[in-house]
Short mmCIF file of all heavy atoms in Angstrom, two decimals:
data_model
loop_
_atom_site.label_atom_id
_atom_site.label_comp_id
_atom_site.label_asym_id
_atom_site.label_seq_id
_atom_site.Cartn_x
_atom_site.Cartn_y
_atom_site.Cartn_z
N ASP A 102 0.83 -1.20 0.00
CA ASP A 102 0.00 0.00 0.00
C ASP A 102 0.87 1.25 0.00
O ASP A 102 0.83 2.05 0.94
CB ASP A 102 -0.93 -0.03 1.22
CG ASP A 102 -2.01 1.04 1.15
OD1 ASP A 102 -2.21 1.63 0.06
OD2 ASP A 102 -2.65 1.30 2.19
N GLY A 103 1.62 1.47 -1.05
CA GLY A 103 2.56 2.57 -1.11
C GLY A 103 1.91 3.94 -0.97
O GLY A 103 2.37 4.78 -0.18
N TYR A 104 0.86 4.19 -1.75
CA TYR A 104 0.20 5.49 -1.65
C TYR A 104 -0.44 5.68 -0.29
O TYR A 104 -0.38 6.77 0.30
CB TYR A 104 -0.85 5.65 -2.75
CG TYR A 104 -0.28 5.75 -4.14
CD1 TYR A 104 -0.81 5.00 -5.19
CD2 TYR A 104 0.78 6.60 -4.42
CE1 TYR A 104 -0.29 5.08 -6.47
CE2 TYR A 104 1.32 6.69 -5.70
CZ TYR A 104 0.77 5.92 -6.72
OH TYR A 104 1.29 6.00 -7.99
N GLY A 105 -1.06 4.63 0.22
CA GLY A 105 -1.68 4.73 1.54
C GLY A 105 -0.66 4.98 2.63
O GLY A 105 -0.86 5.84 3.51
N ASP A 106 0.46 4.28 2.59
CA ASP A 106 1.52 4.48 3.59
C ASP A 106 2.08 5.90 3.49
O ASP A 106 2.34 6.55 4.51
CB ASP A 106 2.64 3.46 3.39
CG ASP A 106 2.22 2.04 3.75
OD1 ASP A 106 1.22 1.89 4.48
OD2 ASP A 106 2.87 1.10 3.29
N THR A 107 2.28 6.38 2.27
CA THR A 107 2.79 7.73 2.07
C THR A 107 1.84 8.77 2.66
O THR A 107 2.26 9.70 3.36
CB THR A 107 3.00 8.01 0.57
OG1 THR A 107 3.91 7.04 0.03
CG2 THR A 107 3.55 9.40 0.33
N PHE A 108 0.57 8.61 2.35
CA PHE A 108 -0.43 9.59 2.82
C PHE A 108 -0.59 9.55 4.33
O PHE A 108 -0.61 10.59 5.00
CB PHE A 108 -1.77 9.29 2.13
CG PHE A 108 -2.85 10.29 2.43
CD1 PHE A 108 -2.85 11.54 1.84
CD2 PHE A 108 -3.88 9.97 3.31
CE1 PHE A 108 -3.85 12.46 2.11
CE2 PHE A 108 -4.87 10.88 3.60
CZ PHE A 108 -4.86 12.13 2.99
N ARG A 109 -0.67 8.36 4.90
CA ARG A 109 -0.88 8.25 6.34
C ARG A 109 0.34 8.73 7.14
O ARG A 109 0.19 9.19 8.26
CB ARG A 109 -1.20 6.80 6.71
CG ARG A 109 -2.61 6.37 6.31
CD ARG A 109 -2.94 4.97 6.82
NE ARG A 109 -2.18 3.96 6.12
CZ ARG A 109 -2.60 3.35 5.01
NH1 ARG A 109 -3.78 3.66 4.49
NH2 ARG A 109 -1.87 2.40 4.44
N TYR A 110 1.51 8.67 6.54
CA TYR A 110 2.72 9.14 7.23
C TYR A 110 2.78 10.67 7.28
O TYR A 110 3.56 11.24 8.03
CB TYR A 110 3.96 8.59 6.53
CG TYR A 110 5.21 8.62 7.38
CD1 TYR A 110 5.47 7.61 8.30
CD2 TYR A 110 6.13 9.66 7.26
CE1 TYR A 110 6.61 7.64 9.08
CE2 TYR A 110 7.28 9.68 8.02
CZ TYR A 110 7.51 8.67 8.94
OH TYR A 110 8.65 8.70 9.71
N GLY A 111 1.97 11.30 6.45
CA GLY A 111 1.98 12.76 6.43
C GLY A 111 3.01 13.36 5.49
O GLY A 111 3.41 14.52 5.66
N CYS A 112 3.44 12.60 4.49
CA CYS A 112 4.43 13.11 3.55
C CYS A 112 3.87 14.28 2.74
O CYS A 112 2.67 14.35 2.48
CB CYS A 112 4.88 12.00 2.60
SG CYS A 112 5.77 10.66 3.40
N LYS A 113 4.74 15.17 2.33
CA LYS A 113 4.35 16.30 1.49
C LYS A 113 4.53 16.01 0.01
O LYS A 113 4.05 16.75 -0.84
CB LYS A 113 5.18 17.54 1.86
CG LYS A 113 5.13 17.92 3.33
CD LYS A 113 3.70 18.13 3.82
CE LYS A 113 3.68 18.55 5.29
NZ LYS A 113 2.29 18.63 5.82
N VAL A 114 5.24 14.93 -0.28
CA VAL A 114 5.49 14.52 -1.66
C VAL A 114 5.22 13.02 -1.78
O VAL A 114 5.57 12.25 -0.88
CB VAL A 114 6.95 14.82 -2.08
CG1 VAL A 114 7.23 14.30 -3.48
CG2 VAL A 114 7.22 16.32 -2.01
N ALA A 115 4.57 12.63 -2.86
CA ALA A 115 4.34 11.21 -3.15
C ALA A 115 4.87 10.92 -4.55
O ALA A 115 5.37 11.82 -5.23
CB ALA A 115 2.86 10.86 -3.03
N GLY A 116 4.76 9.69 -4.97
CA GLY A 116 5.22 9.38 -6.31
C GLY A 116 5.22 7.89 -6.59
O GLY A 116 4.70 7.08 -5.80
N CYS A 117 5.79 7.52 -7.73
CA CYS A 117 5.85 6.12 -8.14
C CYS A 117 7.25 5.82 -8.66
O CYS A 117 8.01 6.72 -9.03
CB CYS A 117 4.80 5.82 -9.21
SG CYS A 117 4.86 6.91 -10.65
N THR A 118 7.59 4.54 -8.68
CA THR A 118 8.93 4.09 -9.03
C THR A 118 8.85 2.89 -9.95
O THR A 118 8.07 1.96 -9.69
CB THR A 118 9.72 3.69 -7.77
OG1 THR A 118 9.78 4.78 -6.85
CG2 THR A 118 11.13 3.24 -8.12
N VAL A 119 9.64 2.89 -10.99
CA VAL A 119 9.83 1.70 -11.82
C VAL A 119 11.22 1.15 -11.52
O VAL A 119 12.20 1.90 -11.49
CB VAL A 119 9.69 2.02 -13.32
CG1 VAL A 119 10.06 0.79 -14.16
CG2 VAL A 119 8.28 2.47 -13.65
N HIS A 120 11.29 -0.15 -11.27
CA HIS A 120 12.57 -0.76 -10.90
C HIS A 120 12.63 -2.18 -11.43
O HIS A 120 11.60 -2.80 -11.76
CB HIS A 120 12.75 -0.76 -9.38
CG HIS A 120 11.73 -1.58 -8.64
ND1 HIS A 120 11.98 -2.87 -8.20
CD2 HIS A 120 10.45 -1.32 -8.28
CE1 HIS A 120 10.91 -3.35 -7.59
NE2 HIS A 120 9.97 -2.43 -7.62
N PHE A 121 13.83 -2.70 -11.50
CA PHE A 121 14.02 -4.12 -11.81
C PHE A 121 13.80 -4.93 -10.53
O PHE A 121 14.02 -4.45 -9.42
CB PHE A 121 15.42 -4.39 -12.34
CG PHE A 121 15.62 -4.00 -13.79
CD1 PHE A 121 16.58 -3.05 -14.14
CD2 PHE A 121 14.87 -4.58 -14.78
CE1 PHE A 121 16.79 -2.70 -15.46
CE2 PHE A 121 15.05 -4.24 -16.11
CZ PHE A 121 16.01 -3.28 -16.45
N ILE A 122 13.36 -6.15 -10.69
CA ILE A 122 13.11 -7.05 -9.56
C ILE A 122 14.41 -7.72 -9.13
O ILE A 122 15.23 -8.15 -9.96
CB ILE A 122 12.08 -8.12 -9.97
CG1 ILE A 122 10.69 -7.51 -10.11
CG2 ILE A 122 12.05 -9.27 -8.97
CD1 ILE A 122 10.08 -7.04 -8.82
N ASP A 123 14.60 -7.81 -7.80
CA ASP A 123 15.66 -8.64 -7.25
C ASP A 123 15.05 -9.57 -6.21
O ASP A 123 13.83 -9.77 -6.19
CB ASP A 123 16.82 -7.81 -6.71
CG ASP A 123 16.42 -6.94 -5.51
OD1 ASP A 123 15.27 -7.05 -5.03
OD2 ASP A 123 17.28 -6.17 -5.04
N TYR A 124 15.85 -10.12 -5.32
CA TYR A 124 15.34 -11.10 -4.37
C TYR A 124 14.61 -10.47 -3.17
O TYR A 124 14.05 -11.19 -2.35
CB TYR A 124 16.48 -11.97 -3.84
CG TYR A 124 17.18 -12.80 -4.90
CD1 TYR A 124 18.56 -12.98 -4.84
CD2 TYR A 124 16.48 -13.41 -5.94
CE1 TYR A 124 19.23 -13.74 -5.80
CE2 TYR A 124 17.13 -14.16 -6.89
CZ TYR A 124 18.51 -14.33 -6.82
OH TYR A 124 19.16 -15.08 -7.76
N GLY A 125 14.65 -9.17 -3.02
CA GLY A 125 13.99 -8.50 -1.90
C GLY A 125 12.60 -8.02 -2.28
O GLY A 125 12.10 -8.25 -3.39
N GLU A 126 11.97 -7.32 -1.35
CA GLU A 126 10.64 -6.76 -1.59
C GLU A 126 10.79 -5.30 -2.01
O GLU A 126 11.09 -4.44 -1.19
CB GLU A 126 9.76 -6.86 -0.35
CG GLU A 126 8.34 -6.35 -0.60
CD GLU A 126 7.43 -6.55 0.61
OE1 GLU A 126 7.89 -6.38 1.75
OE2 GLU A 126 6.26 -6.88 0.40
N ASP A 127 10.63 -5.04 -3.31
CA ASP A 127 10.73 -3.68 -3.85
C ASP A 127 12.10 -3.06 -3.59
O ASP A 127 12.22 -1.87 -3.31
CB ASP A 127 9.62 -2.78 -3.28
CG ASP A 127 8.23 -3.30 -3.59
OD1 ASP A 127 8.02 -3.77 -4.72
OD2 ASP A 127 7.36 -3.25 -2.71
N THR A 128 13.15 -3.87 -3.67
CA THR A 128 14.50 -3.41 -3.39
C THR A 128 15.39 -3.37 -4.62
O THR A 128 16.56 -3.00 -4.52
CB THR A 128 15.17 -4.30 -2.33
OG1 THR A 128 15.15 -5.67 -2.80
CG2 THR A 128 14.46 -4.22 -0.99
N GLY A 129 14.87 -3.73 -5.78
CA GLY A 129 15.70 -3.81 -6.98
C GLY A 129 16.14 -2.44 -7.47
O GLY A 129 15.57 -1.40 -7.09
N PRO A 130 17.15 -2.39 -8.33
CA PRO A 130 17.69 -1.12 -8.82
C PRO A 130 16.64 -0.30 -9.57
O PRO A 130 15.89 -0.80 -10.39
CB PRO A 130 18.84 -1.55 -9.74
CG PRO A 130 18.59 -2.98 -10.07
CD PRO A 130 17.86 -3.56 -8.91
N ILE A 131 16.65 1.00 -9.26
CA ILE A 131 15.61 1.92 -9.75
C ILE A 131 15.92 2.38 -11.17
O ILE A 131 17.05 2.75 -11.49
CB ILE A 131 15.50 3.12 -8.79
CG1 ILE A 131 14.91 2.66 -7.45
CG2 ILE A 131 14.65 4.23 -9.40
CD1 ILE A 131 14.94 3.71 -6.36
N ILE A 132 14.88 2.37 -12.01
CA ILE A 132 15.00 2.82 -13.40
C ILE A 132 14.49 4.25 -13.55
O ILE A 132 15.12 5.09 -14.17
CB ILE A 132 14.21 1.88 -14.33
CG1 ILE A 132 14.75 0.45 -14.21
CG2 ILE A 132 14.28 2.37 -15.77
CD1 ILE A 132 13.83 -0.59 -14.82
N GLY A 133 13.32 4.54 -12.99
CA GLY A 133 12.74 5.87 -13.12
C GLY A 133 11.75 6.15 -12.01
O GLY A 133 11.19 5.23 -11.40
N GLN A 134 11.52 7.43 -11.73
CA GLN A 134 10.57 7.85 -10.70
C GLN A 134 9.85 9.11 -11.15
O GLN A 134 10.37 9.90 -11.94
CB GLN A 134 11.29 8.12 -9.37
CG GLN A 134 11.88 6.87 -8.73
CD GLN A 134 12.61 7.15 -7.43
OE1 GLN A 134 13.53 7.96 -7.40
NE2 GLN A 134 12.20 6.48 -6.36
N ARG A 135 8.63 9.29 -10.64
CA ARG A 135 7.86 10.51 -10.84
C ARG A 135 7.29 10.93 -9.50
O ARG A 135 6.75 10.09 -8.76
CB ARG A 135 6.73 10.30 -11.83
CG ARG A 135 7.17 10.11 -13.27
CD ARG A 135 7.74 11.39 -13.88
NE ARG A 135 8.06 11.20 -15.28
CZ ARG A 135 9.16 10.64 -15.74
NH1 ARG A 135 10.08 10.19 -14.89
NH2 ARG A 135 9.36 10.51 -17.04
N ALA A 136 7.40 12.21 -9.17
CA ALA A 136 6.93 12.73 -7.89
C ALA A 136 5.86 13.78 -8.11
O ALA A 136 5.78 14.41 -9.18
CB ALA A 136 8.09 13.32 -7.10
N PHE A 137 5.04 13.99 -7.08
CA PHE A 137 4.03 15.06 -7.11
C PHE A 137 3.76 15.51 -5.68
O PHE A 137 3.95 14.75 -4.73
CB PHE A 137 2.74 14.59 -7.79
CG PHE A 137 2.09 13.39 -7.17
CD1 PHE A 137 1.14 13.51 -6.16
CD2 PHE A 137 2.43 12.11 -7.59
CE1 PHE A 137 0.54 12.41 -5.59
CE2 PHE A 137 1.84 10.98 -7.02
CZ PHE A 137 0.89 11.14 -6.02
N ASP A 138 3.31 16.75 -5.54
CA ASP A 138 3.02 17.31 -4.23
C ASP A 138 1.71 16.76 -3.68
O ASP A 138 0.75 16.55 -4.42
CB ASP A 138 2.91 18.83 -4.30
CG ASP A 138 4.25 19.50 -4.60
OD1 ASP A 138 5.28 18.89 -4.28
OD2 ASP A 138 4.25 20.61 -5.17
N ILE A 139 1.70 16.53 -2.38
CA ILE A 139 0.44 16.23 -1.67
C ILE A 139 -0.04 17.55 -1.07
O ILE A 139 0.63 18.14 -0.21
CB ILE A 139 0.65 15.18 -0.57
CG1 ILE A 139 1.13 13.86 -1.19
CG2 ILE A 139 -0.64 14.96 0.21
CD1 ILE A 139 1.40 12.77 -0.16
#
């Protein structure tokens, strides 16, 4: 629940990430990101 966790934490900026998969949970190397203000 990335957007939910971001919003509930009170962040001022949210966004999304594209990454390659590795053996962890959402830990693979990042390809691109987009951010926006909350």
Side-chain angles (χ1 to χ4, degrees):
D102 191 14
Y104 292 133
D106 291 340
T107 302
F108 185 76
R109 286 186 290 270
Y110 199 83
C112 294
K113 306 304 182 185
V114 176
C117 54
T118 302
V119 173
H120 63 99
F121 282 120
I122 289 292
D123 65 5
Y124 298 141
E126 183 175 38
D127 300 320
T128 56
I131 291 171
I132 301 166
Q134 294 179 303
R135 290 290 184 279
F137 57 91
D138 292 334
I139 298 178

